[in-house]
Protein backbone atom coordinates (compact mmCIF):
# COMPACT_ATOMS: atom_id res chain seq x y z
CA UNK A 1 0.00 0.00 0.00
CA UNK A 2 1.19 3.50 -0.86
CA UNK A 3 0.19 6.69 0.92
CA UNK A 4 0.68 10.37 0.15
CA UNK A 5 0.14 12.63 3.15
CA UNK A 6 -0.59 16.31 2.53
CA UNK A 7 -0.05 18.74 5.39
CA UNK A 8 -0.30 22.51 5.52
CA UNK A 9 1.67 25.25 7.16
CA UNK A 10 1.61 29.01 7.84
CA UNK A 11 -2.09 29.67 7.24
CA UNK A 12 -5.26 27.77 6.44
CA UNK A 13 -7.05 28.21 3.15
CA UNK A 14 -3.99 27.49 1.03
CA UNK A 15 -5.90 25.14 -1.22
CA UNK A 16 -4.62 21.93 0.34
CA UNK A 17 -7.76 20.24 -0.92
CA UNK A 18 -6.99 21.32 -4.48
CA UNK A 19 -3.38 20.21 -4.06
CA UNK A 20 -4.51 16.82 -2.81
CA UNK A 21 -7.08 16.45 -5.60
CA UNK A 22 -4.52 17.51 -8.20
CA UNK A 23 -1.93 15.02 -6.99
CA UNK A 24 -4.63 12.37 -7.22
CA UNK A 25 -5.47 13.45 -10.75
CA UNK A 26 -1.81 13.23 -11.77
CA UNK A 27 -1.63 9.64 -10.58
CA UNK A 28 -4.98 8.81 -12.14
CA UNK A 29 -3.78 10.18 -15.48
CA UNK A 30 -1.09 7.50 -15.28
CA UNK A 31 -3.65 4.74 -14.97
CA UNK A 32 -3.33 4.35 -11.20
CA UNK A 33 -6.26 3.75 -8.91
CA UNK A 34 -6.39 6.43 -6.26
CA UNK A 35 -8.61 7.41 -3.39
CA UNK A 36 -8.53 10.27 -0.92
CA UNK A 37 -9.19 10.77 2.78
CA UNK A 38 -9.75 14.04 4.58
CA UNK A 39 -8.77 14.34 8.21
CA UNK A 40 -10.58 17.07 10.12
CA UNK A 41 -9.06 17.58 13.55
CA UNK A 42 -12.19 19.18 15.05
CA UNK A 43 -14.23 17.49 17.78
CA UNK A 44 -17.49 17.44 15.84
CA UNK A 45 -18.41 13.93 14.78
CA UNK A 46 -19.15 15.19 11.27
CA UNK A 47 -19.75 18.44 9.39
CA UNK A 48 -23.54 18.02 9.50
CA UNK A 49 -24.14 20.29 12.44
CA UNK A 50 -21.69 22.97 11.39
CA UNK A 51 -22.62 26.43 10.18
CA UNK A 52 -21.63 26.95 6.53
CA UNK A 53 -20.35 30.36 7.54
CA UNK A 54 -17.51 28.79 9.47
CA UNK A 55 -16.50 25.87 7.31
CA UNK A 56 -18.27 26.39 4.04
CA UNK A 57 -20.77 24.04 2.52
CA UNK A 58 -21.67 20.72 4.10
CA UNK A 59 -21.07 18.21 1.33
CA UNK A 60 -23.34 15.15 1.10
CA UNK A 61 -22.22 11.74 -0.14
CA UNK A 62 -24.21 8.89 -1.67
CA UNK A 63 -24.21 7.03 1.65
CA UNK A 64 -25.68 10.06 3.39
CA UNK A 65 -22.43 11.17 5.01
CA UNK A 66 -22.40 14.90 5.79
CA UNK A 67 -18.77 15.76 5.23
CA UNK A 68 -16.15 18.42 4.67
CA UNK A 69 -16.38 20.20 1.33
CA UNK A 70 -12.95 18.90 0.31
CA UNK A 71 -14.55 15.53 -0.32
CA UNK A 72 -16.54 17.34 -2.98
CA UNK A 73 -13.27 18.41 -4.58
CA UNK A 74 -11.92 14.87 -4.48
CA UNK A 75 -15.10 13.51 -6.04
CA UNK A 76 -15.08 16.13 -8.78
CA UNK A 77 -11.40 15.84 -9.68
CA UNK A 78 -11.22 12.07 -9.43
CA UNK A 79 -14.74 11.38 -10.70
CA UNK A 80 -15.33 8.90 -7.92
CA UNK A 81 -17.91 8.32 -5.19
CA UNK A 82 -16.57 8.36 -1.66
CA UNK A 83 -18.08 7.24 1.64
CA UNK A 84 -18.35 8.84 5.09
CA UNK A 85 -15.36 6.80 6.20
CA UNK A 86 -13.23 8.99 3.93
CA UNK A 87 -13.73 11.88 6.34
CA UNK A 88 -11.97 11.16 9.61
CA UNK A 89 -12.64 13.57 12.47
CA UNK A 90 -11.38 13.76 16.03
CA UNK A 91 -15.01 13.20 17.05
CA UNK A 92 -15.25 9.88 15.20
CA UNK A 93 -11.89 8.66 16.45
CA UNK A 94 -12.49 9.50 20.10
CA UNK A 95 -16.04 8.19 20.08
CA UNK A 96 -14.84 4.79 18.86
CA UNK A 97 -12.05 4.63 21.42
CA UNK A 98 -14.25 5.70 24.32
CA UNK A 99 -17.02 3.28 23.34
CA UNK A 100 -14.44 0.52 23.19
CA UNK A 101 -13.14 1.46 26.61
CA UNK A 102 -16.67 1.32 28.04
CA UNK A 103 -17.15 -2.15 26.63
CA UNK A 104 -14.04 -3.18 28.50
CA UNK A 105 -11.99 -3.89 25.42
CA UNK A 106 -8.90 -2.20 26.83
CA UNK A 107 -9.36 -3.83 30.20
CA UNK A 108 -6.43 -3.25 32.47
CA UNK A 109 -4.63 -0.66 30.40
CA UNK A 110 -4.58 3.10 30.65
CA UNK A 111 -6.19 4.44 27.47
CA UNK A 112 -3.98 7.13 25.97
CA UNK A 113 -3.57 9.31 22.89
CA UNK A 114 -0.46 7.31 22.06
CA UNK A 115 -0.98 4.46 21.30
CA UNK A 116 -4.77 4.11 21.43
CA UNK A 117 -5.92 7.18 19.54
CA UNK A 118 -3.09 6.96 17.00
CA UNK A 119 -3.83 3.25 16.46
CA UNK A 120 -7.48 4.06 15.78
CA UNK A 121 -6.47 6.74 13.26
CA UNK A 122 -4.20 4.32 11.40
CA UNK A 123 -6.82 1.56 11.58
CA UNK A 124 -9.33 3.80 9.84
CA UNK A 125 -6.86 4.75 7.13
CA UNK A 126 -5.73 1.19 6.49
CA UNK A 127 -9.32 0.01 6.38
CA UNK A 128 -9.98 2.37 3.49
CA UNK A 129 -6.79 1.29 1.77
CA UNK A 130 -7.98 -2.33 2.00
CA UNK A 131 -11.57 -1.66 0.98
CA UNK A 132 -10.80 0.49 -2.03
CA UNK A 133 -7.78 -1.53 -3.18
CA UNK A 134 -6.34 1.76 -4.35
CA UNK A 135 -2.76 1.88 -5.61
CA UNK A 136 -2.31 5.12 -3.74
CA UNK A 137 -4.29 6.60 -0.85
CA UNK A 138 -4.06 10.37 -0.47
CA UNK A 139 -4.50 11.69 3.05
CA UNK A 140 -5.07 15.38 3.61
CA UNK A 141 -4.52 16.50 7.18
CA UNK A 142 -6.77 19.50 7.83
CA UNK A 143 -5.68 22.44 9.90
CA UNK A 144 -2.19 23.86 10.14
CA UNK A 145 0.92 22.16 11.47
CA UNK A 146 1.37 23.29 15.04
CA UNK A 147 -2.33 23.24 15.96
CA UNK A 148 -2.95 21.30 19.17
CA UNK A 149 -5.85 19.46 17.50
CA UNK A 150 -3.79 18.03 14.69
CA UNK A 151 -0.99 16.63 16.88
CA UNK A 152 -2.38 13.07 17.28
CA UNK A 153 -2.99 12.86 13.52
CA UNK A 154 0.51 13.99 12.60
CA UNK A 155 1.92 11.57 15.13
CA UNK A 156 -0.15 8.81 13.51
CA UNK A 157 1.25 9.83 10.11
CA UNK A 158 4.79 9.67 11.46
CA UNK A 159 4.10 6.16 12.73
CA UNK A 160 2.55 5.21 9.43
CA UNK A 161 5.77 6.08 7.61
CA UNK A 162 7.80 4.07 10.10
CA UNK A 163 5.53 1.04 9.80
CA UNK A 164 4.97 1.10 6.06
CA UNK A 165 8.47 2.17 5.08
CA UNK A 166 9.96 5.24 3.48
CA UNK A 167 9.10 4.26 -0.05
CA UNK A 168 5.46 3.78 0.75
CA UNK A 169 4.63 7.01 2.54
CA UNK A 170 5.34 10.35 0.88
CA UNK A 171 4.91 13.68 2.67
CA UNK A 172 3.83 16.80 0.81
CA UNK A 173 3.84 20.06 2.76
CA UNK A 174 1.95 23.06 1.39
CA UNK A 175 2.90 26.53 2.56
CA UNK A 176 2.44 30.18 1.78
CA UNK A 177 5.18 32.16 0.05
CA UNK A 178 4.13 35.79 0.51
CA UNK A 179 5.39 38.89 -1.21
CA UNK A 180 5.47 41.73 1.26
CA UNK A 181 7.17 44.75 -0.23
CA UNK A 182 6.65 46.56 -3.48
CA UNK A 183 10.03 45.17 -4.49
CA UNK A 184 8.18 41.93 -5.04
CA UNK A 185 10.58 39.63 -3.24
CA UNK A 186 9.14 36.22 -2.33
CA UNK A 187 9.61 35.48 1.35
CA UNK A 188 10.59 31.96 2.38
CA UNK A 189 10.81 32.45 6.14
CA UNK A 190 7.22 31.33 6.90
CA UNK A 191 7.92 28.15 4.93
CA UNK A 192 11.15 27.55 6.82
CA UNK A 193 9.37 27.96 10.13
CA UNK A 194 6.51 25.65 9.34
CA UNK A 195 8.87 22.97 8.03
CA UNK A 196 10.87 23.32 11.24
CA UNK A 197 7.64 22.80 13.17
CA UNK A 198 6.84 19.72 11.11
CA UNK A 199 10.30 18.30 11.63
CA UNK A 200 10.00 18.79 15.38
CA UNK A 201 7.12 16.31 15.13
CA UNK A 202 9.38 13.84 13.38
CA UNK A 203 8.18 14.47 9.84
CA UNK A 204 10.54 15.54 7.07
CA UNK A 205 8.61 16.60 3.97
CA UNK A 206 9.49 14.95 0.66
CA UNK A 207 7.96 17.74 -1.37
CA UNK A 208 7.03 21.35 -0.68
CA UNK A 209 4.26 23.10 -2.55
CA UNK A 210 4.54 26.87 -2.26
CA UNK A 211 1.38 28.89 -2.78
CA UNK A 212 2.02 32.33 -4.18
CA UNK A 213 0.52 34.76 -6.65
CA UNK A 214 3.31 34.33 -9.17
CA UNK A 215 5.35 31.19 -9.81
CA UNK A 216 8.24 30.72 -7.35
CA UNK A 217 11.46 32.23 -8.64
CA UNK A 218 14.49 30.05 -9.08
CA UNK A 219 16.09 31.76 -6.13
CA UNK A 220 13.06 31.14 -3.93
CA UNK A 221 13.06 27.48 -4.86
CA UNK A 222 16.77 27.19 -4.13
CA UNK A 223 16.36 28.83 -0.74
CA UNK A 224 13.46 26.59 0.23
CA UNK A 225 15.36 23.58 -1.00
CA UNK A 226 18.44 24.44 1.01
CA UNK A 227 16.80 25.50 4.26
CA UNK A 228 14.13 22.82 4.29
CA UNK A 229 16.34 20.01 3.08
CA UNK A 230 14.15 19.11 0.13
CA UNK A 231 15.64 18.53 -3.35
CA UNK A 232 15.26 21.44 -5.75
CA UNK A 233 13.02 19.42 -8.12
CA UNK A 234 10.67 18.75 -5.20
CA UNK A 235 9.99 22.42 -4.49
CA UNK A 236 6.85 23.06 -6.46
CA UNK A 237 5.12 26.29 -7.46
CA UNK A 238 1.42 26.67 -6.95
CA UNK A 239 0.71 30.13 -8.37
CA UNK A 240 -2.79 31.53 -8.74
CA UNK A 241 -4.53 29.62 -11.51
CA UNK A 242 -7.31 30.61 -13.88
CA UNK A 243 -9.28 27.60 -12.73
CA UNK A 244 -8.71 25.03 -9.99
CA UNK A 245 -8.94 22.38 -12.70
CA UNK A 246 -5.77 23.77 -14.23
CA UNK A 247 -3.69 22.98 -11.13
CA UNK A 248 -2.99 19.32 -12.03
CA UNK A 249 -1.46 20.48 -15.31
CA UNK A 250 0.56 23.20 -13.59
CA UNK A 251 2.00 20.49 -11.34
CA UNK A 252 2.49 18.11 -14.24
CA UNK A 253 4.62 20.66 -16.09
CA UNK A 254 6.94 20.79 -13.08
CA UNK A 255 7.48 17.07 -13.14
CA UNK A 256 5.52 16.31 -9.99
CA UNK A 257 4.19 13.01 -11.34
CA UNK A 258 7.55 11.60 -12.39
CA UNK A 259 9.14 12.72 -9.16
CA UNK A 260 6.55 11.05 -6.92
CA UNK A 261 6.47 7.86 -8.97
CA UNK A 262 10.25 7.67 -8.89
CA UNK A 263 10.50 8.20 -5.14
CA UNK A 264 7.70 5.80 -4.34
CA UNK A 265 8.80 3.27 -6.95
CA UNK A 266 5.42 3.12 -8.61
CA UNK A 267 4.99 2.30 -12.27
CA UNK A 268 2.43 4.13 -14.33
CA UNK A 269 1.66 4.55 -18.03
CA UNK A 270 2.42 7.76 -19.92
CA UNK A 271 -0.06 10.30 -18.58
CA UNK A 272 -3.25 10.95 -20.54
CA UNK A 273 -4.57 14.48 -20.36
CA UNK A 274 -6.52 14.77 -23.58
CA UNK A 275 -10.03 15.00 -22.13
CA UNK A 276 -8.93 17.20 -19.26
CA UNK A 277 -7.16 19.62 -21.61
CA UNK A 278 -10.18 19.76 -23.87
CA UNK A 279 -12.33 20.48 -20.84
CA UNK A 280 -10.09 23.43 -19.91
CA UNK A 281 -9.85 24.63 -23.46
CA UNK A 282 -13.64 24.89 -23.70
CA UNK A 283 -13.77 26.59 -20.30
CA UNK A 284 -11.21 29.22 -21.28
CA UNK A 285 -12.68 29.92 -24.72
CA UNK A 286 -16.34 30.71 -24.23
CA UNK A 287 -18.46 31.79 -27.17
CA UNK A 288 -21.23 33.48 -25.26
CA UNK A 289 -22.04 34.76 -21.81
CA UNK A 290 -24.92 34.62 -19.32
CA UNK A 291 -25.54 35.84 -15.79
CA UNK A 292 -27.17 33.67 -13.16
CA UNK A 293 -28.26 35.06 -9.81
CA UNK A 294 -27.76 32.88 -6.77
CA UNK A 295 -30.06 34.07 -4.05
CA UNK A 296 -29.03 32.80 -0.63
CA UNK A 297 -28.29 33.60 2.95
CA UNK A 298 -24.60 32.69 3.07
CA UNK A 299 -23.50 34.46 -0.12
CA UNK A 300 -20.72 36.39 1.60
CA UNK A 301 -18.70 33.23 1.96
CA UNK A 302 -18.57 31.72 -1.53
CA UNK A 303 -17.51 28.35 -0.15
CA UNK A 304 -20.99 28.02 1.34
CA UNK A 305 -22.28 27.20 -2.13
CA UNK A 306 -19.15 25.72 -3.61
CA UNK A 307 -20.88 22.76 -5.26
CA UNK A 308 -23.26 25.08 -7.12
CA UNK A 309 -20.34 27.21 -8.19
CA UNK A 310 -18.49 24.16 -9.45
CA UNK A 311 -21.60 22.79 -11.18
CA UNK A 312 -21.83 26.00 -13.17
CA UNK A 313 -18.15 25.73 -14.05
CA UNK A 314 -18.77 22.23 -15.43
CA UNK A 315 -21.75 23.52 -17.38
CA UNK A 316 -19.72 26.50 -18.62
CA UNK A 317 -17.19 24.19 -20.21
CA UNK A 318 -19.85 21.88 -21.59
CA UNK A 319 -21.70 24.74 -23.30
CA UNK A 320 -18.62 26.87 -23.98
CA UNK A 321 -20.33 29.62 -22.11
CA UNK A 322 -19.03 32.19 -19.68
CA UNK A 323 -21.35 32.00 -16.69
CA UNK A 324 -21.23 35.01 -14.42
CA UNK A 325 -22.61 34.27 -11.00
CA UNK A 326 -24.29 37.17 -9.28
CA UNK A 327 -24.45 36.46 -5.56
CA UNK A 328 -27.46 38.08 -3.94
CA UNK A 329 -28.12 38.16 -0.22
CA UNK A 330 -31.82 37.37 0.15
CA UNK A 331 -32.09 39.87 3.01
CA UNK A 332 -30.92 42.61 0.64
CA UNK A 333 -33.74 41.61 -1.70
CA UNK A 334 -36.17 42.12 1.17
CA UNK A 335 -34.78 45.63 1.74
CA UNK A 336 -34.07 46.80 -1.78
CA UNK A 337 -36.57 44.87 -3.87
CA UNK A 338 -36.27 42.87 -7.07
CA UNK A 339 -34.32 45.58 -8.90
CA UNK A 340 -31.32 43.60 -7.65
CA UNK A 341 -32.35 40.96 -10.17
CA UNK A 342 -32.33 43.34 -13.12
CA UNK A 343 -30.42 42.00 -16.06
CA UNK A 344 -29.96 38.42 -14.85
CA UNK A 345 -30.72 35.60 -17.28
CA UNK A 346 -31.55 32.99 -14.70
CA UNK A 347 -32.10 32.56 -10.97
CA UNK A 348 -31.10 29.76 -8.64
CA UNK A 349 -32.18 29.42 -5.03
CA UNK A 350 -29.99 26.92 -3.20
CA UNK A 351 -30.62 24.92 -0.02
CA UNK A 352 -30.94 26.48 3.39
CA UNK A 353 -32.46 26.36 6.84
CA UNK A 354 -34.42 28.62 9.15
CA UNK A 355 -36.55 31.72 8.65
CA UNK A 356 -33.95 34.49 8.20
CA UNK A 357 -33.94 35.76 4.63
CA UNK A 358 -36.66 33.43 3.38
CA UNK A 359 -39.04 36.18 2.29
CA UNK A 360 -36.38 37.51 -0.06
CA UNK A 361 -36.14 34.07 -1.64
CA UNK A 362 -39.91 33.92 -2.02
CA UNK A 363 -39.72 37.31 -3.77
CA UNK A 364 -37.07 36.00 -6.15
CA UNK A 365 -39.18 32.95 -7.03
CA UNK A 366 -42.23 35.13 -7.65
CA UNK A 367 -40.21 37.49 -9.83
CA UNK A 368 -38.89 34.60 -11.91
CA UNK A 369 -42.30 32.98 -12.24
CA UNK A 370 -44.13 36.15 -13.23
CA UNK A 371 -41.47 37.40 -15.64
CA UNK A 372 -40.66 34.18 -17.43
CA UNK A 373 -37.10 34.14 -16.11
CA UNK A 374 -35.47 30.69 -16.01
CA UNK A 375 -35.53 29.43 -12.43
CA UNK A 376 -34.17 26.51 -10.47
CA UNK A 377 -35.00 25.95 -6.81
CA UNK A 378 -32.91 23.40 -4.97
CA UNK A 379 -34.14 21.79 -1.75
CA UNK A 380 -35.06 24.84 0.36
CA UNK A 381 -35.35 26.73 -2.93
CA UNK A 382 -37.77 24.07 -4.19
CA UNK A 383 -39.81 24.40 -0.99
CA UNK A 384 -39.89 28.20 -1.05
CA UNK A 385 -40.97 28.31 -4.69
CA UNK A 386 -43.80 25.94 -3.76
CA UNK A 387 -44.78 28.27 -0.92
CA UNK A 388 -44.70 31.25 -3.27
CA UNK A 389 -46.99 29.43 -5.69
CA UNK A 390 -49.41 28.53 -2.89
CA UNK A 391 -49.56 32.13 -1.72
CA UNK A 392 -49.93 33.90 -5.03
CA UNK A 393 -51.55 31.39 -7.35
CA UNK A 394 -53.59 29.20 -5.02
CA UNK A 395 -54.42 32.24 -2.91
CA UNK A 396 -53.34 30.76 0.42
CA UNK A 397 -52.02 34.03 1.73
CA UNK A 398 -50.07 32.83 4.72
CA UNK A 399 -48.92 29.52 3.21
CA UNK A 400 -45.58 28.49 4.68
CA UNK A 401 -43.35 25.70 5.86
CA UNK A 402 -43.82 24.48 9.40
CA UNK A 403 -40.05 24.87 9.73
CA UNK A 404 -40.50 28.63 9.43
CA UNK A 405 -43.81 29.72 10.95
CA UNK A 406 -47.16 28.70 12.31
CA UNK A 407 -49.57 28.71 9.41
CA UNK A 408 -53.04 27.77 8.39
CA UNK A 409 -51.63 26.35 5.13
CA UNK A 410 -48.61 24.18 5.91
CA UNK A 411 -47.81 23.39 2.27
CA UNK A 412 -44.34 22.32 3.35
CA UNK A 413 -44.35 20.05 6.37
CA UNK A 414 -42.13 17.76 8.38
CA UNK A 415 -41.46 14.35 6.84
CA UNK A 416 -43.61 11.87 8.77
CA UNK A 417 -40.59 9.79 9.84
CA UNK A 418 -39.01 12.94 11.33
CA UNK A 419 -41.68 13.35 13.98
CA UNK A 420 -39.98 11.39 16.73
CA UNK A 421 -36.50 12.64 15.93
CA UNK A 422 -34.95 14.73 18.70
CA UNK A 423 -31.25 14.58 17.88
CA UNK A 424 -29.92 16.95 15.22
CA UNK A 425 -26.77 15.11 14.09
CA UNK A 426 -27.12 12.85 11.05
CA UNK A 427 -30.88 12.51 11.31
CA UNK A 428 -32.21 14.19 8.16
CA UNK A 429 -33.34 12.31 5.06
CA UNK A 430 -29.87 11.95 3.65
CA UNK A 431 -27.89 10.70 0.70
CA UNK A 432 -28.74 9.07 -2.60
CA UNK A 433 -32.43 8.14 -3.00
CA UNK A 434 -34.28 6.82 -5.98
CA UNK A 435 -36.49 9.19 -7.97
CA UNK A 436 -39.02 8.15 -10.57
CA UNK A 437 -39.42 10.62 -13.41
CA UNK A 438 -42.59 10.84 -15.42
CA UNK A 439 -42.28 9.86 -19.07
CA UNK A 440 -42.57 12.77 -21.48
CA UNK A 441 -41.98 15.43 -18.81
CA UNK A 442 -39.39 18.17 -19.06
CA UNK A 443 -37.43 16.39 -16.32
CA UNK A 444 -37.45 13.29 -18.50
CA UNK A 445 -35.97 15.13 -21.45
CA UNK A 446 -33.34 16.69 -19.17
CA UNK A 447 -32.24 13.47 -17.50
CA UNK A 448 -32.92 11.23 -20.47
CA UNK A 449 -34.17 8.47 -18.19
CA UNK A 450 -37.07 7.74 -15.85
CA UNK A 451 -35.07 6.56 -12.89
CA UNK A 452 -32.35 8.57 -11.19
CA UNK A 453 -30.49 8.65 -7.90
CA UNK A 454 -29.71 12.02 -6.43
CA UNK A 455 -28.48 13.14 -3.03
CA UNK A 456 -30.72 14.55 -0.33
CA UNK A 457 -30.48 16.47 2.90
CA UNK A 458 -33.80 17.61 4.31
CA UNK A 459 -36.39 17.21 7.06
CA UNK A 460 -39.35 18.81 5.31
CA UNK A 461 -41.27 18.03 2.15
CA UNK A 462 -44.27 19.11 0.08
CA UNK A 463 -47.35 18.31 2.13
CA UNK A 464 -49.19 15.58 0.15
CA UNK A 465 -52.56 17.13 1.12
CA UNK A 466 -51.94 19.97 -1.33
CA UNK A 467 -50.60 18.09 -4.33
CA UNK A 468 -53.88 17.94 -6.19
CA UNK A 469 -54.42 21.65 -5.79
CA UNK A 470 -50.92 22.45 -7.03
CA UNK A 471 -51.31 20.15 -10.02
CA UNK A 472 -54.66 21.67 -10.92
CA UNK A 473 -53.01 25.07 -11.21
CA UNK A 474 -50.06 23.94 -13.31
CA UNK A 475 -47.32 23.22 -10.79
CA UNK A 476 -46.62 19.74 -11.96
CA UNK A 477 -44.66 17.21 -9.91
CA UNK A 478 -42.83 15.22 -12.54
CA UNK A 479 -40.42 13.49 -10.19
CA UNK A 480 -41.46 11.53 -7.13
CA UNK A 481 -40.05 8.88 -4.87
CA UNK A 482 -41.07 5.27 -5.44
CA UNK A 483 -44.08 5.49 -3.15
CA UNK A 484 -45.38 8.41 -5.23
CA UNK A 485 -46.24 10.52 -2.19
CA UNK A 486 -42.91 12.27 -1.80
CA UNK A 487 -42.41 15.11 -4.27
CA UNK A 488 -38.94 15.37 -5.79
CA UNK A 489 -39.21 17.57 -8.91
CA UNK A 490 -41.64 20.23 -10.06
CA UNK A 491 -41.94 21.96 -13.41
CA UNK A 492 -44.33 24.83 -14.08
CA UNK A 493 -46.61 24.53 -17.08
CA UNK A 494 -46.59 27.52 -19.43
CA UNK A 495 -43.27 28.88 -18.16
CA UNK A 496 -40.14 28.45 -20.32
CA UNK A 497 -38.15 27.03 -17.42
CA UNK A 498 -39.34 27.02 -13.84
CA UNK A 499 -38.13 23.93 -12.04
CA UNK A 500 -37.29 22.74 -8.58
CA UNK A 501 -35.81 19.66 -7.00
CA UNK A 502 -36.07 18.45 -3.44
CA UNK A 503 -32.69 16.79 -3.96
CA UNK A 504 -29.32 18.46 -4.53
CA UNK A 505 -28.13 17.91 -8.11
CA UNK A 506 -25.01 19.98 -7.40
CA UNK A 507 -23.42 17.23 -5.33
CA UNK A 508 -23.06 14.85 -8.24
CA UNK A 509 -21.86 17.32 -10.85
CA UNK A 510 -18.49 16.43 -12.34
CA UNK A 511 -16.26 18.33 -14.79
CA UNK A 512 -17.09 15.99 -17.65
CA UNK A 513 -20.61 15.13 -16.41
CA UNK A 514 -22.30 18.36 -15.39
CA UNK A 515 -25.45 18.37 -13.27
CA UNK A 516 -28.39 17.96 -15.70
CA UNK A 517 -30.52 20.56 -13.93
CA UNK A 518 -27.80 23.21 -13.82
CA UNK A 519 -27.15 22.50 -17.47
CA UNK A 520 -30.82 22.89 -18.32
CA UNK A 521 -31.04 26.14 -16.37
CA UNK A 522 -28.03 27.56 -18.24
CA UNK A 523 -29.45 26.54 -21.61
CA UNK A 524 -32.77 28.16 -20.76
CA UNK A 525 -30.95 31.28 -19.53
CA UNK A 526 -29.07 31.55 -22.81
CA UNK A 527 -32.32 31.34 -24.75
CA UNK A 528 -33.90 33.88 -22.46
CA UNK A 529 -31.00 36.23 -23.06
CA UNK A 530 -31.27 35.86 -26.82
CA UNK A 531 -35.02 36.51 -26.71
CA UNK A 532 -34.87 39.58 -24.53
N1 LIG B 1 -34.68 23.33 5.62
C1 LIG B 1 -35.24 22.47 4.63
C2 LIG B 1 -35.48 21.08 5.14
O1 LIG B 1 -34.94 20.70 6.14
C3 LIG B 1 -34.37 22.43 3.40
C4 LIG B 1 -33.06 21.76 3.63
C5 LIG B 1 -32.04 22.05 2.57
O2 LIG B 1 -32.21 22.95 1.76
N2 LIG B 1 -30.95 21.32 2.55
O3 LIG B 1 -36.21 20.33 4.54
Amino acid sequence: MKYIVVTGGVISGLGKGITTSSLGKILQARGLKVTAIKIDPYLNYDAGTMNPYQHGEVFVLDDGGEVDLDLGNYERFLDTNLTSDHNITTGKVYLTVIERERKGEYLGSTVQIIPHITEEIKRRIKKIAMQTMADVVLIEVGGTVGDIESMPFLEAMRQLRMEEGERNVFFVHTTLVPVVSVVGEQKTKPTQHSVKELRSLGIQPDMIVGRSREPLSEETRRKISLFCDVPYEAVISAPDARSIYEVPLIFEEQGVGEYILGKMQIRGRTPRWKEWKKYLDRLFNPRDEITIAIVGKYVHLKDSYISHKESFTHVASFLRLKINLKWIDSEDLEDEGTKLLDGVDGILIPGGFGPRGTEGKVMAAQYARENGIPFLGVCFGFQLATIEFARHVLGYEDANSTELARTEYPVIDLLPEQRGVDKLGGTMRLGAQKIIIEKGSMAHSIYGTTEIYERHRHRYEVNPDYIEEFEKHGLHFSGRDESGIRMEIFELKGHPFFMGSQFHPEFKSRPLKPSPLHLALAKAALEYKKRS
Side-chain angles (χ1 to χ4, degrees), residues 351-353 378-380 383 403 428 457-460 504:
F353 296 85
V378 170
C379 202
F380 204 35
Q383 297 174 359
E403 177 186 359
M428 286 187 248
R457 182 173 188 245
H458 65 124
R459 268 181 228 290
Y460 295 81
H504 292 266

Side-chain angles (χ1 to χ4, degrees), residues 63-334:
D63 72 358
E66 298 171 276
V67 294
D68 184 80
L69 57 82
D70 273 324
L71 276 86
N73 286 320
Y74 307 160
E75 286 203 343
R76 290 186 280 265
F77 273 74
L78 306 175
D79 190 17
T80 179
N81 291 322
L82 302 171
T83 69
S84 333
D85 288 345
H86 289 248
N87 196 185
I88 302 175
T89 63
T90 300
K92 286 182 187 171
V93 171
Y94 274 70
L95 191 64
T96 311
V97 171
I98 292 170
E99 276 173 357
R100 212 173 276 161
E101 186 276 331
R102 289 291 77 186
K103 281 195 212 142
E105 287 179 27
Y106 301 113
L107 219 54
S109 52
T110 312
V111 183
Q112 291 176 302
I113 292 182
I114 305 172
H116 301 97
I117 293 294
T118 48
E119 282 304 325
E120 174 58 18
I121 294 167
K122 286 181 292 176
R123 186 191 67 81
R124 284 175 174 264
I125 289 170
K126 288 178 184 171
K127 190 176 137 206
I128 288 180
M130 292 298 289
Q131 278 172 353
T132 54
M133 298 292 288
D135 299 314
V136 182
V137 180
L138 292 133
I139 306 162
E140 177 187 347
V141 184
T144 308
V145 170
D147 296 346
I148 291 183
E149 283 89 350
S150 45
M151 292 291 186
F153 292 103
L154 292 169
E155 167 60 14
M157 296 304 101
R158 186 194 65 77
Q159 295 173 11
L160 187 71
R161 160 107 121 184
M162 195 188 56
E163 289 167 11
E164 301 290 317
E166 292 219 347
R167 248 188 288 132
N168 300 322
V169 181
F170 188 92
F171 283 105
V172 178
H173 189 57
T174 55
T175 71
L176 177 74
V177 182
V179 170
V180 185
S181 67
V182 274
V183 190
E185 191 196 354
Q186 292 175 328
K187 295 290 185 187
T188 64
K189 211 43 144 237
T191 303
Q192 295 178 37
H193 277 295
S194 84
V195 169
K196 202 166 138 199
E197 184 84 39
L198 193 60
R199 285 163 123 186
S200 75
L201 303 172
I203 296 173
Q204 165 63 38
D206 299 295
M207 178 173 275
I208 291 177
V209 175
R211 273 291 286 125
S212 54
R213 287 188 67 160
E214 302 292 323
L216 301 182
S217 70
E218 203 184 304
E219 196 198 334
T220 305
R221 286 179 69 189
R222 285 207 187 286
K223 258 196 203 161
I224 294 178
S225 164
L226 181 66
F227 290 121
C228 303
D229 204 15
V230 169
Y232 180 78
E233 321 85 85
V235 181
I236 307 300
S237 272
D240 289 352
R242 283 179 292 174
S243 159
I244 52 172
Y245 300 107
E246 198 183 19
V247 178
L249 293 171
I250 294 176
F251 285 177
E252 182 72 277
E253 279 161 19
Q254 298 176 69
V256 168
E258 295 324 308
Y259 188 85
I260 293 181
L261 258 60
K263 280 283 165 198
M264 300 187 82
Q265 299 186 5
I266 305 173
R267 275 214 295 227
R269 64 170 192 221
T270 14
R272 290 186 196 156
W273 289 110
K274 213 166 121 212
E275 290 303 314
W276 201 256
K277 281 185 175 159
K278 273 201 240 161
Y279 168 82
L280 285 171
D281 187 58
R282 290 192 305 267
L283 186 65
F284 295 148
N285 296 293
R287 289 194 281 232
D288 215 329
E289 186 172 351
I290 55 169
T291 301
I292 305 276
I294 298 189
V295 181
K297 179 162 75 167
Y298 314 110
V299 290
H300 303 287
L301 180 70
K302 302 285 178 292
D303 269 359
S304 311
Y305 302 114
I306 182 171
S307 292
H308 284 293
K309 193 172 146 254
E310 293 311 316
S311 300
F312 282 120
T313 306
H314 309 155
V315 168
S317 167
F318 192 88
L319 295 176
R320 286 195 69 170
L321 200 56
K322 179 161 187 261
I323 303 183
N324 306 305
L325 297 180
K326 184 169 180 189
W327 302 90
I328 296 179
D329 184 334
S330 54
E331 284 184 293
D332 291 346
L333 260 181
E334 290 169 13

Side-chain angles (χ1 to χ4, degrees), residues 442-495:
M442 188 160 326
H444 185 201
S445 70
I446 288 169
Y447 273 94
T449 167
T450 54
E451 199 181 295
I452 57 169
Y453 287 84
E454 289 277 20
R455 297 179 185 175
H456 294 70
R457 182 173 188 245
H458 65 124
R459 268 181 228 290
Y460 295 81
E461 65 168 343
V462 178
N463 184 338
D465 295 347
Y466 294 90
I467 308 285
E468 234 190 276
E469 195 71 8
F470 280 123
E471 291 278 356
K472 238 197 278 172
H473 288 82
L475 194 68
H476 178 50
F477 292 97
S478 54
R480 303 181 177 208
D481 78 335
E482 263 180 308
S483 71
I485 46 168
R486 188 154 291 161
M487 300 305 110
E488 291 277 9
I489 303 176
F490 71 61
E491 47 196 72
L492 180 62
K493 298 234 164 97
H495 188 291

